[in-house]
Amino acid sequence: MSTMRLDIVTAEKLVYSDDVSSVNAPGVAGQLGILPNHAPLLTSLMPGELRVVKEGEETNIAVSGGFLEVLRNVVTVLVDTAERAEDIDVERAEAALKRAQDKLDSSESDLDLEKAIQALKRSQSRVYVSKRKRSSAARSKTRQ
Ligand code: ATP
């Protein structure tokens, strides 16, 4: 089965590096599906879920904004932050989501709207990725 290389990099670390069979990423214009031998591409990413399939197994990663490049069968994802679903502290993400919502609801005159919106999107995607993974793990457990 054909594969492509995927490297997910943040300023802090290399989060993922492996040969995979598909990548689904949150592009600015919607979810973006990438298969091996994809044409060269450079696009911006928004906070959301990045799904990777390797040997039939799906890995779910919450990413914040950044870029995705496809070149010569190598997909490089450069993002501010990236966490695998199992590494997400959902309580922390829910607290961050509440803080961002409260900020946006407040009438603070010095509110940095763009910063608050970005914090809201990051925390929403962490909560979504973590909970979705938990519910699919629970479903496969009840099937066993
Ligand atoms: P918080 O207010 O909870 O710090 P944040 O959105 O401001 O959230 P970031 O600045 O995006 O946090 O991330 C800082 C670091 O913490 C990054 O390394 C990121 O991967 C990690 N991180 C942030 N939130 C979580 C979380 N809920 N679970 C696990 N790691 C997290």
Side-chain angles (χ1 to χ4, degrees), residues 12 81-83 87-90 92-93 96 99 119 122-123 126:
E12 291 174 355
T81 63
E83 304 91 33
D87 295 332
I88 295 173
D89 176 342
V90 71
R92 175 177 166 184
R99 272 198 310 278
R122 282 197 305 277
S123 50
R126 286 175 181 135

Side-chain angles (χ1 to χ4, degrees), residues 10 12-13 15 62 64 80-97 99 118-123 126-127 130:
T10 71
E12 291 174 355
K13 59 182 174 184
V15 177
S64 60
D80 290 327
T81 63
E83 304 91 33
R84 288 173 189 241
E86 58 272 25
D87 295 332
I88 295 173
D89 176 342
V90 71
E91 281 166 19
R92 175 177 166 184
E94 277 170 342
L97 177 59
R99 272 198 310 278
Q118 287 307 316
L120 182 87
K121 288 184 178 170
R122 282 197 305 277
S123 50
R126 286 175 181 135
V127 170
S130 156

Side-chain angles (χ1 to χ4, degrees), residues 66-105:
F67 299 95
L68 179 148
E69 179 197 68
V70 186
L71 196 61
R72 292 185 212 100
N73 214 31
V74 179
V75 180
T76 309
V77 173
L78 284 171
V79 279
D80 290 327
T81 63
E83 304 91 33
R84 288 173 189 241
E86 58 272 25
D87 295 332
I88 295 173
D89 176 342
V90 71
E91 281 166 19
R92 175 177 166 184
E94 277 170 342
L97 177 59
K98 174 142 194 339
R99 272 198 310 278
Q101 275 165 339
D102 289 348
K103 254 201 158 61
L104 288 168
D105 289 343

Side-chain angles (χ1 to χ4, degrees), residues 88-91 129-139:
I88 295 173
D89 176 342
V90 71
E91 281 166 19
V129 170
S130 156
K131 291 199 164 166
R132 209 171 79 86
K133 187 71 186 173
R134 281 182 189 195
S135 58
S136 72
R139 269 200 310 277

Side-chain angles (χ1 to χ4, degrees), residues 21-41:
S21 48
S22 78
V23 175
N24 199 280
V28 277
Q31 281 297 125
L32 196 70
I34 299 160
L35 293 171
N37 304 310
H38 194 286
L41 172 74

